[in-house]
Amino acid sequence: MIRILLYAIFLQTITAVGAVHGPICQWHQDPCTSMAVHWIESSAAAQERPFIVTYRKTGGAEWLNSKVETRPFGRTKHWVYSTDLSGLDPDSRYNFKISQGDRLIGSWFFKTAPKLFKEGMSFVTGGDMYGTRAWLDAMNLRAGKEDPLFALLGGDLAYANGSNGGRWRDWLESWNNCAVAPDGRLIPMVVAIGNHEVKGYQYRPKNAPGREDAPFFYSLFSGKSEGANFTVDFGDYLSLVGVDSGHTANIAAQTQWLGRVLGNRLGIPRQFVCYHRPAWGTGVKGDATDIRREWSPLFEQFKVDCVFENDHHTYKRTHPIVGGERSDKDGILYMGDGSWGVKTRNIPKDWKKRTYLAEAQALRHLIKVTLKKDEFLYEGMTEDGKIFDKTTRPLRRGGADSR
């Protein structure tokens, strides 16, 4: 805790001088050999004194320079700075520095993903993050303490509604300060879009607005030039697929793409899907019936291991289900529903009438997923590290072959 407080003081000091918010690390290409780094500069200083990024593999390797790209941060007067580091060694720790001229802004660490599966590797996931700064910081701290390989974030990240850039700057600072592993490395993220990234923040599955209505999301993160959906593959042992659940793209318009990318990854033994609006919720809000109709049959056809949903500000875990009915052998597990750092909604007293539900609680939480050779361990966890729900599921996509 002392280390984090000292680091926060350090960051506030350099922010006051250089108006730098971040950096954060994002995976949108090969996690084994690349890392994208982003930060926001909220003054004109960087236009006069360009940023310099140097990096090296820890252990005495030579410092290398990386190209820094810049773009406007939405419609604000601030700027996003990014560098895409590539050609990195798998399962390796790297140090990177950001400077302006001879002034060091800061020095940070990250680690690339292993090329081959490792028993016990883990990630954390959740969404609906920034209700209050205290709640956001507390859960980000928990995420770091769990020492995950990465975080899969399912939308409604800063609650900026496409218009409040200041909340995004706070969000970057919180992640940079708090989502730090015990060894000091920054936790990289893989990001999906939510309705509160968009102006008007409505759920519009059939007439979603264009990407221009989510200016901060699309100007901050890399790999979003064609939309918010994504695929991120870790070697040949893990695949992540993200879809836009009716925020800047219509649901039905993505079905063909989703079927293709799921079908192309049948040989990968572990596969997860993430999006924002739940198809199988707890009843606090309406369910996304378009997703049930368009996407759930694909999850069942291609044996997705778990689908992570968000948006409803609750915790939920379904039974393994096919068409909404429990099927322990062939069913899809759905987990969510987005209460990382927001006020939770009350669970309906009759929630058990939704027979597909195995558990439902009104708790702020993250979900920790531990990958084992033959199974998955899913744990619902509060900010203080309490595990309030857990379940295991067997590996189904390739038998005991852990790759």
Side-chain angles (χ1 to χ4, degrees):
M1 183 58 71
I2 293 174
R3 177 180 62 82
I4 292 173
L5 290 174
L6 290 174
Y7 185 77
I9 293 170
F10 165 75
L11 186 68
Q12 290 169 2
T13 300
I14 65 170
T15 298
V17 174
V20 171
H21 306 269
I24 59 170
C25 294
Q26 179 204 355
W27 274 330
H28 68 100
Q29 296 177 316
D30 182 359
C32 305
T33 61
S34 71
M35 186 71 75
V37 178
H38 314 297
W39 65 97
I40 295 173
E41 158 68 61
S42 56
S43 80
Q47 303 302 307
E48 302 167 2
R49 301 180 67 195
F51 285 108
I52 300 168
V53 172
T54 56
Y55 68 100
R56 70 176 181 182
K57 185 176 177 180
T58 57
E62 179 184 0
W63 286 96
L64 303 173
N65 289 322
S66 180
K67 181 181 179 181
V68 178
E69 296 184 347
T70 182
R71 52 194 177 271
F73 183 47
R75 297 184 179 91
T76 70
K77 296 180 180 179
H78 305 150
W79 295 84
V80 176
Y81 293 82
S82 293
T83 185
D84 262 303
L85 307 179
S86 60
L88 308 178
D89 291 337
D91 199 17
S92 298
R93 182 179 173 91
Y94 281 83
N95 181 200
F96 72 95
K97 298 179 180 181
I98 301 175
S99 304
Q100 278 184 306
D102 58 358
R103 183 170 72 90
L104 177 66
I105 300 298
S107 178
W108 298 269
F109 295 90
F110 66 79
K111 190 175 181 181
T112 54
K115 189 67 175 178
L116 301 176
F117 173 74
K118 283 189 172 183
E119 179 77 11
M121 61 200 313
S122 68
F123 66 91
V124 295
T125 185
D128 299 79
M129 297 182 70
Y130 186 6
T132 72
R133 183 61 185 267
W135 291 342
L136 175 66
D137 286 356
M139 199 62 73
N140 287 352
L141 280 168
R142 172 51 49 192
K145 288 177 181 177
E146 292 305 311
D147 198 20
L149 179 62
F150 64 93
L152 176 61
L153 303 179
D156 283 7
L157 309 178
Y159 275 80
N161 299 325
S163 61
N164 189 339
R167 289 186 66 87
W168 277 105
R169 295 193 297 273
D170 288 347
W171 182 83
L172 263 72
E173 289 177 2
S174 176
W175 192 265
N176 179 277
N177 290 350
C178 301
V180 179
D183 65 359
R185 65 186 175 87
L186 300 180
I187 304 299
M189 61 181 69
V190 179
V191 292
I193 196 170
N195 57 296
H196 282 282
E197 270 72 73
V198 185
K199 293 180 180 179
Y201 53 89
Q202 295 180 348
Y203 171 57
R204 294 167 61 179
K206 292 183 173 65
N207 62 338
R211 297 195 292 274
E212 65 275 6
D213 277 14
F216 301 123
F217 181 87
Y218 282 106
S219 60
L220 176 58
F221 298 112
S222 296
K224 307 298 182 184
S225 61
E226 300 299 322
N229 46 8
F230 63 81
T231 58
V232 176
D233 298 326
F234 295 69
D236 61 359
Y237 60 87
L238 170 64
S239 174
L240 306 178
V241 177
V243 213
D244 181 336
S245 54
H247 312 300
T248 61
N250 294 344
I251 287 173
Q254 298 169 83
T255 301
Q256 185 176 5
W257 174 88
L258 180 61
R260 182 173 68 253
V261 299
L262 294 178
N264 288 343
R265 287 160 174 78
L266 282 172
I268 299 178
R270 299 167 187 85
Q271 186 172 72
F272 300 98
V273 174
C274 180
Y275 51 80
H276 191 65
R277 182 81 178 203
W280 306 95
T282 58
V284 299
K285 292 172 64 176
D287 293 329
T289 55
D290 295 75
I291 293 177
R292 289 188 182 187
R293 180 177 60 254
E294 294 284 338
W295 298 349
S296 288
L298 295 176
F299 304 152
E300 295 159 8
Q301 177 184 354
F302 295 113
K303 296 184 178 181
V304 170
D305 290 298
C306 186
V307 177
F308 298 108
E309 304 181 316
N310 297 276
D311 184 68
H312 282 190
H313 301 190
T314 65
Y315 173 79
K316 75 99 187 285
R317 171 173 58 85
T318 71
H319 297 291
I321 56 174
V322 173
E325 300 295 328
R326 182 171 180 172
S327 173
D328 290 343
K329 180 178 181 293
D330 297 319
I332 305 301
L333 184 65
Y334 293 79
M335 297 187 72
D337 273 340
S339 54
W340 186 285
V342 292
K343 184 178 180 180
T344 59
R345 294 188 172 99
N346 293 327
I347 303 291
K349 293 181 180 179
D350 63 349
W351 67 268
K352 291 185 178 179
K353 290 183 179 180
R354 293 177 170 241
T355 55
Y356 58 79
L357 287 174
E359 186 59 64
Q361 296 192 46
L363 286 172
R364 281 188 295 277
H365 71 279
L366 59 77
I367 298 167
K368 182 177 181 180
V369 184
T370 303
L371 311 179
K372 302 184 179 182
K373 181 179 179 180
D374 299 317
E375 68 176 10
F376 306 92
L377 170 63
Y378 302 93
E379 298 173 301
M381 184 178 298
T382 58
E383 63 188 35
D384 60 1
K386 177 184 176 182
I387 298 171
F388 61 88
D389 182 48
K390 65 180 178 179
T391 191
T392 59
R393 287 286 289 155
L395 190 74
R396 302 186 302 147
R397 297 164 53 86
D401 178 11
S402 64
R403 303 255 174 135

